[in-house]
Amino acid sequence: METCTALTCALHEDYLKTPSTESEWKAIARDFANKWQFPHCLGAIDGKHIFIQPPPKSGSMYFNYKSRFSIILMAVVDANYKFVYASAGTQGTVSDAGVFAHSDLKEAMDTGTLSFPPADTLPGTDAMMPHMLIGDDAYPLRPDLMKPYPFRNLNTNQRIYNYRLSRARRVVENAFGILANRFRVFRTTICLDPDKVVTIIFACLCLHNYLRDHKSDAYVPPGYVDSEDANHQLVKGAWRREGELQSVSMGLARNPSVEAKKQRDVLCEYFVSPAGSVSWQEDMV
């Protein structure tokens, strides 16, 4: 525990600190636009279970929907598989939507204290669009958090939007996959108190980002993460053959605002416009 705490203290400020200026967030957005053709994206969010031995007298508090005891790691990842925000320790009974609803991340987004860049025009258009995180269907639809259209009765444009969002969101799935297969303590049940497990998690997140910056080719060799072939078909990364962390249950994220729905529709139209489309997208839906 002393080593893990020392690692976090030494590395956190330089390698796991959440961006605090517009310029830092804009650099992330440029990477998402350049690498994943998704503009105004500030990160991909997701949650995973970390299996633990339940503390004495905790009852079903940590018992998750897969009949395992766990705590939840919720994180935001940039376009380069680096963690830019993390929260850990919530009991495994809670859904993705529940973890987000009670997180300091949501509070900071609600109060505008994250220094997200202001709304700007989408590239090649005069349509104004806020900057945003992207998540799966478990998360609430907000102006600053986009999610897929529900997977029923979709038209072609909506399927293309879902493909484009899923493609950009792949970075968070891969970041968790790298983490679990490089720090294999996460592949087992960790027989420690939850507070100590959280200490281990943050030390590993700091080391992950440090290694991405300084030893990237050794830490994530070619073929280790998902890629695309010449026809933009998904080529699964090698980490997937070794195992992955368990996803958090969906829960219910209801009642999106009219503004958020309208924003998703604007993005949907942008992705099928000459300014926002990519040549291969219709082959993917």
Coordinates of all heavy atoms in Angstrom, one line a residue, residues 2 26 57 65-66 77 84 103 107 112 114 117 141 152 183 195 198 211 221 230 245 247 266 280:
E2 N 2.0 1.2 0.7 CA 2.9 2.4 0.8 C 3.4 2.7 -0.6 O 3.5 3.8 -1.1 CB 4.0 2.1 1.8 CG 3.6 2.2 3.2 CD 4.7 1.9 4.2 OE1 5.9 1.8 3.7 OE2 4.5 1.8 5.4
K26 N -9.2 21.2 -25.7 CA -9.2 21.4 -27.2 C -8.2 20.4 -27.8 O -8.4 19.9 -28.9 CB -8.9 22.8 -27.6 CG -10.2 23.7 -27.4 CD -9.8 25.1 -27.9 CE -11.1 26.0 -27.8 NZ -10.8 27.4 -28.2
K57 N -19.5 -8.2 7.2 CA -20.8 -7.6 7.5 C -21.3 -6.6 6.5 O -22.1 -5.7 6.8 CB -20.7 -6.9 8.9 CG -20.3 -7.8 10.0 CD -20.2 -7.1 11.4 CE -19.8 -8.1 12.5 NZ -19.7 -7.4 13.8
Y65 N -24.8 -7.4 -10.6 CA -25.8 -8.2 -11.3 C -25.2 -9.5 -12.0 O -26.0 -10.3 -12.5 CB -26.4 -7.3 -12.4 CG -25.5 -7.0 -13.6 CD1 -25.8 -7.6 -14.9 CD2 -24.3 -6.3 -13.6 CE1 -25.0 -7.4 -16.0 CE2 -23.5 -6.1 -14.7 CZ -23.9 -6.6 -15.9 OH -23.1 -6.4 -17.0
K66 N -23.9 -9.7 -11.9 CA -23.4 -10.9 -12.4 C -23.0 -11.9 -11.3 O -22.3 -12.8 -11.4 CB -22.1 -10.6 -13.2 CG -22.3 -9.9 -14.5 CD -22.9 -10.9 -15.6 CE -22.9 -10.3 -17.0 NZ -23.4 -11.2 -18.0
V77 N -11.6 8.5 -21.1 CA -10.4 8.2 -21.8 C -10.3 9.1 -23.0 O -11.3 9.4 -23.7 CB -10.4 6.7 -22.2 CG1 -9.3 6.4 -23.2 CG2 -10.4 5.8 -21.0
V84 N -8.2 10.3 -18.4 CA -8.1 11.8 -18.1 C -9.0 12.1 -16.9 O -9.0 13.2 -16.4 CB -8.5 12.7 -19.3 CG1 -7.5 12.5 -20.4 CG2 -9.9 12.4 -19.8
S103 N -21.5 11.3 -9.1 CA -20.1 11.5 -9.3 C -19.7 13.0 -9.2 O -20.5 13.8 -9.5 CB -19.6 10.9 -10.6 OG -20.1 11.7 -11.7
E107 N -21.2 16.6 -11.1 CA -21.3 17.8 -10.4 C -20.5 19.0 -11.1 O -21.0 20.1 -11.3 CB -20.9 17.7 -9.0 CG -21.0 18.9 -8.1 CD -20.5 18.7 -6.7 OE1 -20.1 17.6 -6.3 OE2 -20.5 19.7 -5.9
G112 N -20.2 23.7 -14.4 CA -19.4 24.4 -15.4 C -18.0 24.7 -14.9 O -17.3 25.6 -15.3
L114 N -15.3 22.6 -15.1 CA -14.3 21.8 -15.8 C -13.6 22.6 -16.9 O -12.6 22.0 -17.5 CB -14.9 20.5 -16.4 CG -15.2 19.4 -15.5 CD1 -16.0 18.3 -16.2 CD2 -14.0 18.8 -14.9
P117 N -14.4 23.8 -23.4 CA -14.4 24.9 -24.4 C -15.8 25.3 -24.7 O -16.8 24.4 -24.6 CB -13.7 24.3 -25.6 CG -12.9 23.1 -25.1 CD -13.7 22.6 -23.9
L141 N -28.5 11.3 -21.8 CA -28.3 12.2 -23.0 C -28.3 13.6 -22.5 O -29.3 14.0 -22.0 CB -29.3 11.9 -24.1 CG -29.2 12.7 -25.3 CD1 -27.9 12.3 -26.1 CD2 -30.4 12.6 -26.2
R152 N -33.5 0.5 -32.0 CA -34.8 -0.1 -32.5 C -35.4 1.0 -33.5 O -35.3 2.1 -33.3 CB -35.8 -0.4 -31.4 CG -36.1 0.8 -30.5 CD -37.1 0.4 -29.4 NE -37.4 1.5 -28.6 CZ -36.7 2.0 -27.6 NH1 -35.6 1.3 -27.2 NH2 -37.1 3.0 -26.9
F183 N -1.9 -5.1 -16.0 CA -1.9 -5.1 -14.5 C -2.9 -6.2 -14.2 O -4.1 -6.0 -13.9 CB -2.3 -3.8 -14.0 CG -1.4 -2.7 -14.3 CD1 -1.6 -1.9 -15.4 CD2 -0.2 -2.5 -13.6 CE1 -0.7 -0.9 -15.8 CE2 0.7 -1.5 -13.9 CZ 0.5 -0.7 -15.0
D195 N -11.1 0.2 0.3 CA -10.2 1.3 0.3 C -8.8 1.0 -0.3 O -8.2 1.8 -1.0 CB -10.1 1.9 1.7 CG -11.4 2.6 2.1 OD1 -12.3 2.8 1.3 OD2 -11.5 2.9 3.3
V198 N -9.0 0.6 -4.1 CA -9.0 1.9 -4.7 C -7.6 2.4 -4.8 O -7.2 3.0 -5.9 CB -9.9 2.9 -4.0 CG1 -9.7 4.3 -4.5 CG2 -11.4 2.5 -4.1
L211 N 3.3 4.9 -18.8 CA 3.8 4.0 -19.8 C 3.3 4.4 -21.2 O 4.1 4.2 -22.2 CB 3.5 2.6 -19.5 CG 4.2 2.1 -18.2 CD1 3.5 0.8 -17.7 CD2 5.7 1.8 -18.5
P221 N 2.2 -2.8 -27.9 CA 2.9 -3.1 -29.2 C 1.9 -3.2 -30.3 O 0.7 -3.2 -30.1 CB 3.5 -4.5 -28.9 CG 2.7 -5.1 -27.8 CD 2.2 -4.0 -27.0
A230 N -7.7 -2.1 -44.4 CA -7.8 -1.1 -45.5 C -9.2 -0.7 -45.8 O -9.4 0.4 -46.4 CB -7.0 -1.6 -46.7
L245 N -12.4 -6.7 -18.5 CA -13.2 -6.3 -17.3 C -14.7 -6.4 -17.6 O -15.1 -6.2 -18.7 CB -12.8 -4.9 -16.9 CG -11.4 -4.7 -16.4 CD1 -11.1 -3.2 -16.1 CD2 -11.1 -5.6 -15.2
S247 N -18.4 -5.3 -17.7 CA -19.2 -4.0 -17.8 C -20.1 -3.9 -16.7 O -20.6 -4.8 -16.1 CB -19.9 -4.0 -19.2 OG -19.0 -4.0 -20.2
V266 N -28.6 17.1 -34.8 CA -27.7 17.9 -35.6 C -26.5 17.2 -35.9 O -26.0 17.2 -37.1 CB -27.4 19.2 -34.9 CG1 -26.3 20.0 -35.6 CG2 -28.6 20.1 -34.8
W280 N -16.5 5.5 -46.1 CA -16.8 4.0 -45.9 C -18.0 3.8 -44.9 O -18.4 2.7 -44.7 CB -15.6 3.3 -45.2 CG -15.2 3.8 -43.9 CD1 -15.7 3.4 -42.7 CD2 -14.3 4.9 -43.5 NE1 -15.2 4.1 -41.6 CE2 -14.3 5.0 -42.1 CE3 -13.5 5.8 -44.3 CZ2 -13.6 6.0 -41.4 CZ3 -12.8 6.7 -43.6 CH2 -12.8 6.8 -42.2

